[in-house]
Amino acid sequence: MSAPSRSVKPLQGALLLAISALLFAFTGVGIREISASVNNESVVFFRNLVGVLFFLPLLLVRGIRPLRTTRLKSHLWRTTYGLAAMYCFFYAIAHLPLADAMLFTYSAPIFTPLIAHFWLKEPLTRRMLITSLIGLCGVLMVAKPSAALFEGAALIGLAASLLAAFAFVSIREMSDSEPATRIVFYFSLFSALFSAIPLTWSWQPLDATQLGWLLGIGLLATASQIIMSRAYGLAPPGLIGPIAYLAIVFAGIIAWLLWGETPDTLSLLGAALIFAASLLSVARRSA
């Protein structure tokens, strides 16, 4: 039996994934600012709750029909991968230097071509592997991971990367029938329900300023998720995945503008490799 038909529009997918990476970088800035006063459990929950509230206008205008699905099991698996990756990433932030934790976040594209190949039978080419490795080398140069990268907590960070890769491929798997808005809605809904459980023992009072930050983080993250889901619906994760590496470049630029964190020569060289990997990933493949 032939595989389901899915779009292959790499240029459009790459552009959307770059926009998603930019929004994700801004989301990271918000998380960095709020994490000093709000615990991880609350940040994760409100990020998902805002994602659900994001769809209320759609529900009020068009009703439940656009969100009806026959693939509830697929949405539950996508939520499992994505939410577990989120918690692992927050654990990595708490127990590893920030640069190391960020490295794990942006190393997910190295795994997506392999997972997409074995799960969805997507093509796996030498170009995909080379561009992923080039991008990862660039990330290493920018992040400059310390010796802590080889400690036990790093395994949790690695799990975050692998789980994120599975989440990206699961989006692609559903893209033949599920629009991006529906994928993100169910992810936000199920994640909000599941992430509410830890609040039973870790709830903390929040003031208006903290709630404002959490609202902004949730809106940025949800918009980034919708755009990313649309991107992976347009092109295979293995093909455009290295574009996600741009997030660390965007994060570096934002850190320079906001906090005066000037990149050194190695970081600039790493950023150049990341851009190169991004361009190569969507360049016309030779016959």
Side-chain angles (χ1 to χ4, degrees):
M1 185 172 63
S2 60
S5 176
R6 299 184 179 91
S7 298
V8 182
K9 300 178 180 178
L11 290 179
Q12 295 94 321
L15 177 60
L16 288 178
L17 194 55
I19 295 172
S20 173
L22 177 61
L23 294 178
F24 186 75
F26 278 112
T27 303
V29 172
I31 292 173
R32 176 173 174 173
E33 289 290 331
I34 198 64
S35 292
S37 60
V38 178
N39 61 40
N40 292 340
E41 293 85 355
S42 296
V43 175
V44 172
F45 170 72
F46 278 98
R47 173 254 179 272
N48 294 315
L49 178 63
V50 171
V52 176
L53 298 178
F54 184 92
F55 289 95
L56 283 182
L58 175 65
L59 289 170
L60 292 174
V61 173
R62 300 184 60 186
I64 195 67
R65 185 172 182 177
L67 299 175
R68 286 178 179 169
T69 183
T70 59
R71 303 183 67 174
L72 205 59
K73 183 178 179 181
S74 294
H75 286 289
L76 282 169
W77 275 114
R78 186 267 179 274
T79 299
T80 300
Y81 298 136
L83 187 61
M86 196 181 301
Y87 275 116
C88 288
F89 175 58
F90 274 84
Y91 182 91
I93 286 181
H95 295 85
L96 290 170
L98 183 60
D100 299 341
M102 296 292 275
L103 170 63
F104 285 119
T105 302
Y106 300 121
S107 62
I110 196 69
F111 303 111
T112 53
L114 295 171
I115 296 172
H117 176 67
F118 289 107
W119 184 356
L120 305 181
K121 308 306 179 185
E122 298 273 17
L124 179 62
T125 66
R126 185 178 299 176
R127 177 188 288 273
M128 292 179 184
L129 295 175
I130 291 174
T131 53
S132 294
L133 288 172
I134 291 174
L136 184 60
C137 288
V139 171
L140 286 167
M141 290 181 179
V142 175
K144 300 180 193 64
S146 69
L149 190 64
F150 302 100
E151 295 178 359
L155 294 176
I156 303 297
L158 180 61
S161 182
L162 282 167
L163 288 164
F166 272 102
F168 298 155
V169 178
S170 71
I171 292 170
R172 176 68 174 170
E173 187 267 336
M174 289 189 286
S175 68
D176 58 338
S177 68
E178 303 295 273
T181 50
R182 192 181 300 159
I183 292 173
V184 177
F185 170 76
Y186 281 102
F187 172 70
S188 299
L189 177 63
F190 292 143
S191 294
L193 293 173
F194 295 150
S195 61
I197 296 173
L199 292 184
T200 58
W201 62 81
S202 60
W203 171 258
Q204 68 174 103
L206 302 170
D207 59 33
T209 300
Q210 292 169 329
L211 287 172
W213 275 101
L214 291 171
L215 175 62
I217 290 168
L219 289 174
L220 283 169
T222 302
S224 177
Q225 282 275 330
I226 291 173
I227 295 171
M228 180 192 70
S229 297
R230 177 58 179 158
Y232 285 132
L234 288 172
L239 181 60
I240 64 171
I243 296 292
Y245 288 134
L246 289 175
I248 197 169
V249 178
F250 294 144
I253 294 172
I254 295 170
W256 173 57
L257 293 174
L258 290 182
W259 303 299
E261 298 178 0
T262 306
D264 57 21
T265 303
L266 192 61
S267 294
L268 292 174
L269 180 59
L273 285 178
I274 293 171
F275 274 118
S278 301
L279 293 174
L280 285 171
S281 69
V282 294
R284 182 177 179 85
R285 287 167 289 177
S286 58

